[in-house]
Amino acid sequence: MKVLTVLGARPQFIKSCMLSKALKLNTEINEIIVHTGQHYDDNLSNVFFKQLELPKPDYFLGIGSGTHGQQTGKMLSALEKIMTSVNPDIVLVYGDTNSTLAGGLAAAKLHIPVAHVESGLRSFNKKMPEEINRLITDHLSYCLFAPSQAAIENLRREGIVKNVYLTGDIMHDAVRYFSSIALEKSTILQDLSLSKRNYYLVTIHRAENTDDPKRLKSILEALQQLKIDVVLPLHPRTKSRINHFNLTDSITSPHIKIVEPLNYFDMLTIASQAERIVTDSGGLQKEAYMLGVPCITLRDETEWIETVETGWNHLAGTNTQEIVDSVMKSQIPKKSPSIFGNGDTAQKIVNTLVNKKCDLE
Ligand code: UD1
């Protein structure tokens, strides 16, 4: 079976690495990897391929940044060409980025079955580009791998019930596999002179926060008011928006440590040892839960509602006072049920592809 994987952004490298490992072990499957080039900086792309032991992509499209239309359009056209020549049995896409949408759409138009990993997530906020990407991808997918029961319910409400499989979350596989390796290899705590549970890890990269000066300012002001060290690995988009809106003064405080985007081992290490994680990232909300660190989310809604329901995640939005209060008041809940599966998601997906073939015949 020829499986063509489309990836392009940082979280997709993490999600696909465990599945690539499992696919490689199966002699019936030949995986062909296409990297769209949506993320192209070394520290957003190459470093992940090295650390995660990801196979070198068979095709690199080098699409780069642009408006949503430009970026997705260029990907569609390039992917169509590759899919026509490779003629895969199935196209595998991950998550909710523009690379996901382009991969799914190009394949569906060529009548190639699409398998969507991390299917069924909804924020119910169509202003988020990711919500549009995941909605469309789910509706054109042939085979849907859902990380949680809530995701299955979302799909059911939209009439999608065929070939939906509850697999657990693929990022959980990666966290389990790489956590101890990361702790052993990373020197990030020493490098930044941080001590365990004595700093907050903060990430901000969502367009809804970075591209709105009021929201961005309000978040940065909250960071100023926090009482212990704040580590802020800065996504290139956030960096450029802070400069553009003249907000650099809001982050020039001795307790705010601005660093370049972190590689996976440094990120896992710094996240697992943090006192609290404050983020607008979807992936980091989950990783916080998996690593047992309470999370404060800088958004008004989340796709990962189980993390909120279990008390591990609090939706603080972007109001300065609400963020500060949420960070100060958050507690470590007593229970942490295994809401993201048992770390065997990759194997479940491979078994489904091979045994059930997603009803491809
Ligand atoms: C994308 C995904 C988002 C995901 C995130 C992970 C979409 C719509 N969004 O957001 O779901 O959570 O990746 O990081 O697909 N840039 C660089 N170097 C790079 C890549 C980007 O400087 O290697 C800058 C460019 O100015 C670019 C901006 O970052 O315009 C945004 O990049 P883009 O890939 O469009 O979206 P992300 O914000 O990274």
Side-chain angles (χ1 to χ4, degrees):
M1 181 192 294
K2 241 194 253 179
V3 175
L4 187 144
T5 295
V6 178
L7 35 77
R10 179 171 54 176
Q12 289 163 332
F13 309 140
I14 300 168
K15 288 168 196 168
S16 68
C17 82
M18 298 309 290
L19 193 47
S20 276
K21 284 185 208 304
L23 289 171
K24 208 169 182 180
L25 294 176
N26 192 299
T27 49
E28 281 184 48
I29 296 178
N30 174 23
E31 186 188 27
I32 298 116
I33 299 178
V34 184
H35 183 334
T36 62
Q38 175 169 351
H39 283 176
Y40 45 88
D41 284 355
D42 259 358
N43 54 9
L44 291 188
S45 179
N46 281 351
V47 71
F48 285 82
F49 276 79
K50 279 185 214 135
Q51 289 192 332
L52 298 166
E53 304 149 13
L54 260 166
K56 196 172 171 293
D58 299 276
Y59 298 89
F60 181 74
L61 307 183
I63 302 292
S65 302
T67 64
H68 287 276
Q70 285 166 348
Q71 193 181 50
T72 316
K74 283 187 201 161
M75 287 178 194
L76 258 180
S77 149
L79 284 166
E80 186 178 61
K81 230 180 252 165
I82 292 169
M83 287 178 193
T84 307
S85 101
V86 171
N87 194 21
D89 296 292
I90 195 151
V91 164
L92 204 53
V93 294
Y94 292 85
D96 54 20
T97 73
N98 289 344
S99 301
T100 315
L101 174 65
L105 198 50
K109 292 271 185 165
L110 293 168
H111 304 161
I112 303 166
V114 177
H116 186 200
V117 179
E118 204 180 90
S119 167
L121 276 300
R122 296 291 180 266
S123 66
F124 303 101
N125 174 2
K126 284 199 188 138
K127 287 205 176 126
M128 287 176 69
E130 292 83 6
E131 183 76 354
I132 297 168
N133 292 342
R134 55 172 92 97
L135 258 170
I136 298 175
T137 307
D138 280 340
H139 279 263
L140 49 75
S141 286
Y142 207 78
C143 199
L144 300 100
F145 296 118
S148 62
Q149 194 56 46
I152 297 212
E153 279 305 303
N154 288 336
L155 292 170
R156 191 188 51 75
R157 273 197 296 271
E158 292 170 22
I160 304 174
V161 289
K162 195 171 173 223
N163 292 334
V164 174
Y165 301 96
L166 179 62
T167 55
D169 196 296
I170 194 91
M171 279 179 90
H172 197 192
D173 292 26
V175 167
R176 283 170 75 129
Y177 184 88
F178 287 108
S179 281
S180 52
I181 303 174
L183 272 177
E184 203 178 290
K185 298 209 164 163
S186 169
T187 56
I188 191 74
L189 296 193
Q190 296 91 298
D191 297 348
L192 298 178
S193 309
L194 298 168
S195 48
K196 198 174 167 178
R197 309 273 174 249
N198 203 19
Y199 61 90
Y200 302 123
L201 169 66
V202 181
T203 76
I204 316 159
H205 81 278
R206 290 270 169 210
E208 73 206 79
N209 287 338
T210 60
D211 296 3
D212 179 336
K214 269 201 210 132
R215 288 174 78 97
L216 187 55
K217 188 161 189 260
S218 183
I219 294 171
L220 298 179
E221 277 173 0
L223 305 187
Q224 295 264 21
Q225 293 182 28
L226 295 177
K227 301 280 182 248
I228 58 172
D229 280 344
V230 167
V231 183
L232 180 62
L234 217 47
H235 185 286
R237 173 210 286 283
T238 317
K239 191 181 196 170
S240 86
R241 299 282 90 190
I242 288 175
N243 289 331
H244 180 75
F245 297 135
N246 288 321
L247 293 173
T248 29
D249 281 354
S250 309
I251 44 168
T252 39
S253 227
H255 74 293
I256 302 181
K257 294 176 192 261
I258 311 277
V259 296
E260 290 293 310
L262 296 176
N263 63 51
Y264 188 54
F265 291 171
D266 286 345
M267 194 61 173
L268 272 183
T269 302
I270 211 164
S272 67
Q273 310 298 307
E275 169 67 6
R276 295 290 182 265
I277 292 175
V278 182
T279 188
D280 61 8
S281 151
L284 197 51
Q285 286 174 56
K286 287 188 289 183
E287 284 168 337
Y289 185 87
M290 293 165 194
L291 296 167
V293 179
C295 184
I296 291 86
T297 293
L298 304 168
R299 288 179 49 199
D300 302 320
E301 73 280 306
T302 180
E303 300 78 17
W304 306 105
I305 50 161
E306 307 87 342
T307 59
V308 175
E309 285 164 0
T310 49
W312 283 87
N313 190 4
H314 179 79
L315 292 178
T318 54
N319 175 279
T320 303
Q321 202 51 51
E322 174 73 26
I323 298 170
V324 175
D325 289 349
S326 307
V327 172
M328 304 319 288
K329 282 190 210 144
S330 78
Q331 302 281 331
I332 299 184
K334 290 205 175 65
K335 288 187 185 159
S336 95
S338 60
I339 52 183
F340 293 119
N342 306 313
D344 57 355
T345 297
Q347 201 48 57
K348 281 189 177 138
I349 292 176
V350 173
N351 291 348
T352 309
L353 289 173
V354 173
N355 300 334
K356 305 211 173 177
K357 302 203 186 320
C358 290
D359 287 349
L360 290 182
E361 289 85 9

